Amino acid sequence: MNPFSYNRVTSSEAALHAGTAQGAKFLGGGTNLIDLMKSDVEQPTALVDINHIGLDTVVMTANGVRIGALVRNSDLANHPLITAHYPLLSHALLAGASPQLRNRATTGGNLMQRTRCYYFADTAFPACNKRAPGSGCAAINGFNRIHAILGQTDEGVTSAHTCIATHPSDMCVALYALGAMVEVTGPKGKRVIPVLEFHRLPGDDPAKDTVLGEGELITAVTLPTAKFTKHSWYLKARDRQSYAFALVSVAAGLEMDGNTIKSAGLALGGVAHKPWRVPEAEAVLAGKPATREIFAQAAELMVKGAKTYDHNAFKVELAKQCVVKTLMQAAQST
Ligand SMILES: Cc1cc2nc3c(=O)[nH]c(=O)nc-3n(C[C@H](O)[C@H](O)[C@H](O)COP(=O)(O)OP(=O)(O)OC[C@H]3O[C@@H](n4cnc5c(N)ncnc54)[C@H](O)[C@@H]3O)c2cc1C
Ligand code: SF4
């Protein structure tokens, strides 16, 4: 581990000031950052501890709910406003990690957590464009069972752009289906980013996971007025029933009028560099009766254009089956 300074700040303003230092990183729950520092994947020279700046409440607003960036995953999952109005988010959070980790992990940190690609997390493997830009990608010809089938950059093992990593969060998949917004503040002021645009595909810069700029601090996540309360479901397919990341996950919300779908929010996890949302799949559901046939059409659209590798071809069929099952469950009730 490299030497670093530690600065516990007590306000957003102080966090912003300290966060502009070269090599600085914000410390939330530390459940991802500290692990990566121990293995030398992350090497910040300054840690700015933001655990004492407030931003730890969930409040109802005129247009929905506002979640402070420091709200712990457990507190969020069990908050009465969330369980009553956004059970999809609660279920997704509770499907992630373990109770101990959820007690520590924050909303902002969860949004920013890094991929679980084995080659990224282990510096014994020199080729990883995300960790060491320009070094190539060990995963593409390696053990790529957990890797992306959609939205990846695949220009071959030695290209400086190739990356087939997936985003590991459960919470974020629900945020995509719910149409959340991310509030940030930084050296250039405040801005609000739709969560759909917050995470990046690898494109030609796999090192960059999100559109967050240098020194920008996530302050809150907002959710629009709830419309999927009665009909939503989160399904996580994984190797073990607990304490495992998703091979594929699905967050689905349906706004129903009798058996007719008025609108839908649908997102896949574990298949791409960011949660995967396909507007055409949601559009095909709108105005239709809730049937297995229409859900199967939406499932096909969700994986349209998929490309697989030696060890992850199973994900395409798994994703389709999971989409249909999740929509069937959501249509019945939350
Ligand atoms: C064994 C294990 C199993 C896990 N299983 C799952 C799982 O099944 N599903 C799942 O979704 N997750 C899982 N996780 C990941 C866990 O959810 C994340 O580690 C956690 O959400 C990160 O939150 P944190 O507050 O601890 O972030 P930190 O580790 O503190 O920070 C992570 C990153 O976010 C940045 N950051 C933190 N807060 C802010 C902010 N407000 N503004 C800007 N940047 C910020 C930090 O600088 C850092 O780069 C698992 C983790 C472990 C260790
Ligand atoms: S998939 Fe991405 S994170 Fe994994 S080795 Fe390749 S470049 Fe690195």
Side-chain angles (χ1 to χ4, degrees):
M1 198 188 263
N2 64 304
F4 59 90
S5 64
Y6 170 83
N7 183 1
R8 179 186 285 188
V9 291
T10 52
S11 69
S12 305
E13 293 72 27
L16 277 186
H17 182 70
T20 53
Q22 181 97 32
K25 280 227 164 226
F26 297 121
L27 177 67
T31 62
N32 190 220
L33 180 56
I34 300 293
D35 273 358
L36 293 173
M37 286 172 68
K38 285 195 240 172
S39 52
D40 275 337
V41 173
E42 297 264 21
Q43 299 184 319
T45 50
L47 279 190
V48 181
D49 183 345
I50 55 175
N51 284 278
H52 303 272
I53 64 173
L55 305 180
D56 54 0
T57 57
V58 181
V59 291
M60 194 157 233
T61 64
N63 308 315
V65 152
R66 188 164 188 275
I67 301 159
L70 272 299
V71 175
R72 309 282 165 188
N73 287 180
S74 296
D75 294 338
L76 184 57
N78 296 308
H79 195 283
L81 283 176
I82 302 301
T83 53
H85 301 288
Y86 305 92
L88 179 58
L89 178 56
S90 182
H91 290 162
L93 281 159
L94 293 175
S98 65
Q100 292 87 345
L101 284 158
R102 294 195 296 267
N103 287 345
R104 189 74 203 145
T106 63
T107 304
N110 195 316
L111 274 162
M112 294 292 289
Q113 66 172 293
R114 309 213 67 192
T115 183
R116 307 308 283 204
C117 171
Y118 329 109
Y119 305 99
F120 169 75
D122 188 344
T123 54
F125 293 97
C128 172
N129 286 325
K130 189 175 280 300
R131 173 167 39 78
S135 59
C137 173
I140 202 153
N141 286 348
F143 186 52
N144 41 41
R145 184 165 183 273
I146 63 170
H147 288 79
I149 57 172
L150 290 157
Q152 64 274 56
T153 303
D154 172 1
E155 297 176 356
V157 64
T158 55
S159 163
H161 302 152
T162 292
C163 181
I164 60 169
T166 53
H167 192 266
S169 168
D170 290 293
M171 179 191 85
C172 294
V173 187
L175 294 184
Y176 274 59
L178 292 167
M181 307 290 270
V182 184
E183 294 182 3
V184 306
T185 181
K188 293 184 188 154
K190 296 183 180 183
R191 60 186 181 127
V192 179
I193 308 166
V195 75
L196 298 178
E197 295 164 21
F198 183 80
H199 300 101
R200 295 180 69 255
L201 292 177
D204 60 4
D205 190 1
K208 222 169 173 309
D209 296 343
T210 72
V211 298
L212 209 63
E214 282 294 310
E216 278 193 309
L217 175 75
I218 301 168
T219 51
V221 169
T222 60
L223 299 177
T225 305
K227 56 180 182 177
F228 302 139
T229 307
K230 291 189 179 149
H231 295 279
S232 69
W233 200 254
Y234 186 74
L235 178 67
K236 180 174 179 179
R238 48 186 151 173
D239 283 327
R240 292 186 309 274
Q241 185 53 32
S242 75
Y243 213 40
F245 289 88
L247 289 166
V248 165
S249 68
V250 187
L254 295 174
E255 188 185 10
M256 304 285 295
D257 181 6
N259 192 44
T260 302
I261 301 162
K262 282 173 72 182
S263 70
L266 189 58
L268 276 171
V271 297
H273 200 254
K274 59 188 284 184
W276 195 251
R277 196 168 161 185
V278 179
E280 295 80 8
E282 293 169 6
V284 89
L285 296 170
K288 309 277 177 27
T291 62
R292 181 177 280 276
E293 289 67 35
I294 199 72
F295 294 156
Q297 278 184 38
E300 290 292 340
L301 289 167
M302 289 300 285
V303 296
K304 196 171 162 195
K307 175 170 186 196
T308 63
Y309 301 91
D310 284 352
H311 305 280
N312 71 354
F314 71 95
K315 278 194 177 186
V316 178
E317 187 58 28
L318 182 63
K320 287 198 278 185
Q321 298 280 345
C322 286
V323 168
V324 173
K325 190 168 177 186
T326 310
L327 286 166
M328 295 288 287
Q329 187 68 49
Q332 280 168 33
S333 71
T334 295

